[in-house]
Amino acid sequence: MENKDLYKRLIDIDPAISTMYHPANRRRIIRALEIYEQTGRPMSDHVARQRSLAGDGAISGPLRYPDPCIIWVQSDIKVLDERINRRVDEMIETGLLKELTDFHIQYNQHRISDRGSMSGQYALGIFQSIGFKEFHNYLILSEDEKTQAAGQQQFLKGVEALKLATRQYARRQIKWIRSRFLKRSGASVPNVYSVDSSQVEQWQTDVLDPATKIVQSFVQGEIPPVDALSIEEQLNVPLHKVCDVCGGRVFVRSFEWQAHLTSKKHKKNVQRNMQSKTEARQMNENQQQRSEINKGRQIPNITAETKPD
């Protein structure tokens, strides 16, 4: 079933939750439909119930443990990227590629014996994990092809793709933390304290010592020596906007919508749309003027009377 059909089904079943999902977000749409099929209730009902249990500003439901202390070990994004790149290189050196190759061979043998087909997609189950998709073009090569220049090029592409995917995953994690803990206020939202690990050689003074003091103060019921991170301005609240000027593009977050409105492409489309309307209006006015001129040029049909001799 195509995405548009799934989304139409979701609109019919749960119009409230459908406004929060992009029509192309297939996985979330399918999950919402599964919840309805399994429980007989729309997902929006479950979400509302979870939030009611935790009160206003709820993260996504009541906290498992009361009064938690959350310490977020952060680092400069450039430093984080460098660490991720080094970590991927270390994983390759310690056998990641062999692990992927062995699993790929075993999976294909099992799949061929069961269905007699080599057609497979890295879209379900374990194949969604970072690493399989990135090395797909390399894994499907023969052992001889892997040793050739083209094979080595595919290997290097896989390494770079794995690094990129891991960096993107790290950014999604950061976004998740901010969305869950720093963009909502309320009694059920715990304080989050930040320590900076950018300079690993200063781990003792920048991370361990301040984290220890925060926890000790928290356990003793005292005010920690470090201020908790403040609640950020909610720039990414849910909404549902359709840009008719840009071909009906759908936006479900305010930040994305505001960014779209200020984008060059949108402004260009708006200008083009205004120009088209101006040209259409001018054309209509010209047609009306020509019509009036033609009416004025019409000669009355006068029939001369014939006098009798």
Side-chain angles (χ1 to χ4, degrees), residues 195 202-216 225:
V195 292
Q202 298 182 14
W203 178 269
Q204 180 75 33
T205 57
D206 292 351
V207 179
L208 183 58
D209 289 347
T212 301
K213 292 179 181 178
I214 292 171
V215 173
Q216 288 176 342

Side-chain angles (χ1 to χ4, degrees), residues 9-21 28-37 39-53 60-61:
R9 171 69 172 159
L10 181 61
I11 292 176
D12 295 337
I13 291 175
D14 195 348
I17 209 71
S18 68
T19 61
M20 301 174 63
Y21 292 170
R28 298 193 72 178
I29 293 172
I30 290 177
R31 181 54 183 158
L33 294 174
E34 288 176 344
I35 289 176
Y36 177 78
E37 294 296 333
T39 67
R41 296 170 53 199
M43 185 174 178
S44 56
D45 285 358
H46 295 280
V47 173
R49 181 176 179 275
Q50 287 180 340
R51 290 178 177 174
S52 66
L53 292 174
S60 60

Side-chain angles (χ1 to χ4, degrees), residues 15-269:
I17 209 71
S18 68
T19 61
M20 301 174 63
Y21 292 170
H22 193 281
N25 197 332
R26 184 180 182 87
R27 291 182 182 176
R28 298 193 72 178
I29 293 172
I30 290 177
R31 181 54 183 158
L33 294 174
E34 288 176 344
I35 289 176
Y36 177 78
E37 294 296 333
Q38 294 169 2
T39 67
R41 296 170 53 199
M43 185 174 178
S44 56
D45 285 358
H46 295 280
V47 173
R49 181 176 179 275
Q50 287 180 340
R51 290 178 177 174
S52 66
L53 292 174
D56 294 338
I59 297 173
S60 60
L63 297 173
R64 177 175 297 181
Y65 304 105
D67 301 326
C69 178
I70 299 177
I71 298 178
W72 184 8
V73 182
Q74 298 192 78
S75 70
D76 179 81
I77 193 65
K78 292 183 178 179
V79 174
L80 180 60
D81 287 343
E82 293 173 357
R83 289 175 179 172
I84 289 173
N85 292 339
R86 289 197 302 269
R87 175 58 177 160
V88 169
D89 290 334
E90 292 173 0
M91 292 169 63
I92 297 293
E93 293 174 0
T94 55
L96 173 63
L97 190 58
K98 184 179 185 304
E99 180 181 340
L100 292 174
T101 302
D102 291 344
F103 186 88
H104 184 264
I105 293 173
Q106 294 176 12
Y107 173 76
N108 281 330
Q109 290 175 344
H110 173 73
R111 189 157 48 80
I112 292 172
S113 62
D114 283 353
R115 294 184 290 275
S117 172
M118 282 294 290
S119 61
Q121 297 295 330
Y122 292 91
L124 299 173
I126 192 173
F127 290 107
Q128 298 177 74
S129 303
I130 296 176
F132 288 106
K133 297 185 296 295
E134 290 73 21
F135 281 98
H136 170 72
N137 291 334
Y138 177 78
L139 294 174
I140 62 177
L141 297 175
S142 66
E143 291 302 318
D144 182 58
E145 290 173 328
K146 289 179 181 178
T147 61
Q148 297 177 9
Q152 289 300 303
Q153 186 67 24
Q154 289 296 340
F155 169 74
L156 295 177
K157 287 183 178 180
V159 173
E160 291 305 315
L162 178 56
K163 291 179 179 179
L164 174 61
T166 308
R167 295 195 299 268
Q168 292 173 337
Y169 181 67
R171 282 163 172 75
R172 289 196 298 271
Q173 289 180 320
I174 295 173
K175 182 179 179 180
W176 185 91
I177 292 174
R178 291 189 180 281
S179 176
R180 286 295 184 271
F181 299 117
L182 301 180
K183 294 186 180 297
R184 311 181 190 189
S185 59
S188 65
V189 180
N191 288 330
V192 178
Y193 299 90
S194 173
V195 292
D196 188 359
S197 67
S198 298
Q199 300 181 9
V200 68
E201 65 277 5
Q202 298 182 14
W203 178 269
Q204 180 75 33
T205 57
D206 292 351
V207 179
L208 183 58
D209 289 347
T212 301
K213 292 179 181 178
I214 292 171
V215 173
Q216 288 176 342
S217 301
F218 192 83
V219 172
Q220 296 171 2
E222 301 174 352
I223 299 177
V226 178
D227 293 334
L229 296 175
S230 58
I231 300 297
E232 299 175 355
E233 184 180 358
Q234 299 189 24
L235 298 176
N236 205 22
V237 297
L239 53 72
H240 187 84
K241 294 285 187 180
V242 179
C243 185
D244 296 327
V245 176
C246 296
R249 288 189 60 187
V250 178
F251 299 86
V252 295
R253 293 286 173 177
S254 60
F255 179 80
E256 296 171 350
W257 174 244
Q258 293 300 326
H260 173 71
L261 293 179
T262 58
S263 67
K264 292 182 179 179
K265 184 176 181 179
H266 174 74
K267 292 180 178 180
K268 186 175 181 179
N269 288 338

